[in-house]
Amino acid sequence: MTPSPSAAPTPANPAVAPYVNDTRFFGHPFGLSTLFATEMWERFSYYGLRPLLVLFMSAALADGGFGFDRPAAGAIVGIYAASVYLASLPGGWIADRLLGLRRAILVGAVLITAGHLSIGLSGYAPASVGKLTFFLGLLLIVLGTGLLKPNISAIVGDLYPEGGARRDAGFSIFYMGINIGGLLGALVSGYLGENVGWHAGFGAAGVGMLFGLLWFWMRADRTLGPIGTDIVHDPDPAVQARRERTVKLGTLGGLVAIALAFVAAATGMVTLDPQTVGSYMTVVLVGVAVVYFAYIFAAGGLTGDEKKRVLVIFVLFVFAAIFWAAFEQAPTSLQLFAKDFTDRSVLGFEMPATWFQSANNFFIVAFAPVFAALWVGMAKRDLELSSPAKFALGLALAGAGFALMIIAANEVVTSGGTAKVSPWYLILSYLLQTWGELCLSPVGLSSMTKLAPRQYVGQMMGIWFLASSVGNLVAGLVGGHVDPTNLEQTPQIFLWTTVALFGSAAVLALMIVPIRRMMANVR
Ligand code: GLN
């Protein structure tokens, strides 16, 4: 897999043509099956572990947990998830400039597997060492996912050099793979973690990622040929050498800084309060976004039209971050609500609280084709919605989902905390949120590729994941406050989330016409 500048994925390249012209995977290139399965297992591990985290860390020591208070556990989950998405920025950069997409994915998969292994085995170590290997595992998953997630998505695009509707369809199949993995991960790890033992759940997530790693390792060469093995080369060897040195030094510097911070925290040299760290991190992430956009505007060499489109990206970024801040409360506030206040018995069987997480994945798999057909059908009748209109709809649907949860939480408060509410509240809430996600997430991804100036497509994808990063962090900070000893807090959280969602849907709705004008002919 030596990087070779000649391997650019265009149909004109004879080495690539057989791989992109192939139709053996439901009419799509067979290479998509490799990417589909690898990302499916990666998400199996990610969504298998994530809902267990808050339960495990907040479980009492006697129950095998860490005994952290819930706001701290929620904040840690938020920081973890924010870091996973934030790592996409350097991950994409390293792949473009140094490793190539394929090697980045492979290294990423190895790191994630090692991370899960470290977490799974932490239960067998003495308590102090166990805590260390647990957090080391989370760190490895962050670094690995940064290398894997953005780059595996980029290769999907490379399978369709002609772009167009077939590429969109390829991304839809890939998005379904993500959610099949998420669905199975939460079911398997959730069941094992809650009923057999925390570390059985963690271990299952790790075994899943190991399947993904082996699958990619054995099948990538055969099904993808030379696709994704090249890096961005400068024709001038001196410039190229300098660039590679910068990436190597940057990567090394980053790793050293992370290692030092880890050692400082592990040895107690500095004590970190997760909620304080989380709040500072929010400011840093928003700062990164503001500085980045300001830089692009001031020194990005953009034409007037391009500036308008980047401004649209900025607006979509802000509203996406708000959406994810609500939506990503699934593993925290909604998860805790499922555990404490929801009647989970079905025919004498107590459903694990984590199973509710799967509702979202299930609904995505069920409704993604419906929404795809809806958009196409509306476009045919000349009723096509613009991306800001779809975003506003997505925010409003999520708002309706959280409004339901206010009613559910008030039922609990009225009963003085003794009532267990119907599971349908959560299930319907997830259905509405999923419809919202389908209006916003795939639409956002494709809007980035359509609106970004040619030379900034990759970076704008990084910015898209930065919105997820900010959202996850805020969701973690807010979401840990669901607490049976402080009942009044729960409806308050859902109320403010609902107000924020409906409020931003209304503000964005007012902006649809001017934004459409700025988008000119981009749809
Ligand atoms: N559920 C999707 C995934 O896991 C999108 C998540 C996000 O961007 N916040 O890829």
Side-chain angles (χ1 to χ4, degrees):
M1 293 212 284
T2 336
S4 120
S6 61
T10 64
N13 180 342
V16 166
Y19 299 97
V20 298
N21 295 333
D22 181 38
T23 54
R24 280 175 299 155
F25 187 60
F26 300 108
H28 287 260
F30 204 54
L32 184 63
S33 69
T34 304
L35 306 174
F36 178 98
T38 308
E39 178 64 348
M40 184 187 82
W41 284 119
E42 186 270 322
R43 292 285 101 180
F44 174 95
S45 71
Y46 180 75
Y47 286 116
L49 172 70
R50 198 180 65 159
L52 283 180
L53 287 177
V54 74
L55 299 182
F56 167 72
M57 286 190 287
S58 62
L61 293 176
D63 296 326
F66 284 164
F68 291 174
D69 63 35
R70 282 183 171 189
I76 292 173
V77 175
I79 294 168
Y80 164 68
S83 307
V84 162
Y85 287 111
L86 179 64
S88 300
L89 284 176
W93 183 59
I94 291 169
D96 279 347
R97 299 288 155 112
L98 196 65
L99 292 178
L101 299 171
R102 284 256 286 280
R103 273 198 295 176
I105 294 169
L106 200 61
V107 175
V110 170
L111 289 176
I112 299 172
T113 309
H116 281 290
L117 199 70
S118 182
I119 292 174
L121 293 178
S122 65
Y124 299 99
S128 56
V129 182
K131 215 174 254 179
L132 202 73
T133 47
F134 176 86
F135 285 109
L136 179 67
L138 290 185
L139 180 62
L140 288 170
I141 296 174
V142 165
L143 298 177
T145 315
L147 282 172
L148 190 142
K149 188 145 170 70
N151 299 319
I152 200 162
S153 318
I155 292 205
V156 175
D158 283 351
L159 284 175
Y160 308 89
E162 78 284 10
R166 195 154 169 265
R167 184 189 283 201
D168 291 347
F171 269 108
S172 305
I173 296 176
F174 183 72
Y175 208 76
M176 286 173 84
I178 287 178
N179 285 283
I180 294 171
L183 175 65
L184 298 176
L187 290 180
V188 174
S189 288
Y191 177 80
L192 291 174
E194 286 183 78
N195 292 297
V196 177
W198 299 116
H199 293 274
F202 298 152
V207 171
M209 189 60 234
L210 186 62
F211 284 150
L213 165 62
L214 293 176
W215 189 267
F216 189 77
W217 184 51
M218 290 189 311
R219 303 199 47 85
D221 280 348
R222 238 186 304 156
T223 60
L224 293 166
I227 296 170
T229 53
D230 56 337
I231 57 175
V232 178
H233 273 279
D234 194 281
D236 181 344
V239 175
Q240 180 59 21
R242 208 168 43 237
R243 270 195 187 164
E244 284 187 24
R245 215 172 31 244
T246 311
V247 183
K248 280 181 191 158
L249 280 177
T251 309
L252 195 69
L255 287 176
V256 169
I258 290 169
L260 286 178
F262 188 82
V263 171
T267 52
M269 242 155 48
V270 287
T271 39
L272 299 173
D273 169 45
Q275 278 179 287
T276 316
V277 174
S279 317
Y280 278 123
M281 201 171 158
T282 315
V283 177
V284 171
L285 294 183
V286 173
V288 167
V290 169
V291 170
Y292 176 80
F293 278 107
Y295 171 78
I296 293 277
F297 272 110
L302 302 182
T303 65
D305 262 358
E306 286 175 333
K307 278 190 181 159
K308 281 188 198 157
R309 288 183 192 169
V310 170
L311 195 60
V312 176
I313 290 185
F314 177 73
V315 173
L316 296 182
F317 163 83
V318 170
F319 286 95
I322 297 171
F323 176 87
W324 294 121
F327 180 90
E328 296 289 2
Q329 285 178 40
T332 49
S333 69
L334 295 178
Q335 164 76 4
L336 293 168
F337 193 87
K339 179 171 174 287
D340 292 333
F341 304 129
T342 302
D343 176 11
R344 289 179 279 122
S345 54
V346 182
L347 306 170
F349 167 75
E350 168 100 321
M351 265 194 303
T354 41
W355 279 19
F356 283 89
Q357 303 282 309
S358 312
N360 165 245
N361 306 115
F362 174 80
F363 290 139
I364 287 274
V365 177
F367 286 99
V370 178
F371 273 72
L374 181 73
W375 302 145
V376 174
M378 287 177 83
K380 271 195 195 140
R381 286 177 189 74
D382 246 358
L383 295 170
E384 189 173 15
L385 295 180
S386 62
S387 46
K390 287 177 185 163
F391 266 52
L393 187 61
L395 286 159
L397 282 165
F402 272 90
L404 264 182
M405 294 312 296
I406 306 175
I407 304 173
N410 276 324
E411 235 178 71
V412 175
V413 174
T414 316
S415 74
T418 51
K420 297 253 185 212
V421 303
S422 160
W424 288 106
Y425 279 118
L426 269 175
I427 293 172
L428 279 176
S429 175
Y430 279 129
L431 176 66
L432 289 164
Q433 291 183 57
T434 305
W435 285 350
E437 181 185 2
L438 283 168
C439 291
L440 184 135
S441 183
V443 177
L445 279 171
S446 79
S447 298
M448 294 301 124
T449 61
K450 289 179 198 161
L451 290 164
R454 206 53 213 103
Q455 68 276 30
Y456 289 110
V457 177
Q459 294 173 48
M460 292 299 164
M461 273 298 179
I463 285 291
W464 175 251
F465 282 115
L466 191 63
S468 286
S469 179
V470 177
N472 269 285
L473 192 59
V474 175
L477 292 174
V478 172
H481 292 277
V482 169
D483 189 348
T485 59
N486 196 347
L487 283 181
E488 301 290 336
Q489 230 167 233
T490 308
Q492 286 296 323
I493 293 170
F494 296 147
L495 175 68
W496 283 114
T497 308
T498 308
V499 168
L501 287 166
F502 280 134
S504 37
V507 171
L508 185 56
L510 291 175
M511 292 163 72
I512 291 173
V513 175
I515 293 179
R516 268 200 2 220
R517 228 171 271 145
M518 285 199 283
M519 286 167 68
N521 46 7
V522 175
R523 285 284 174 274

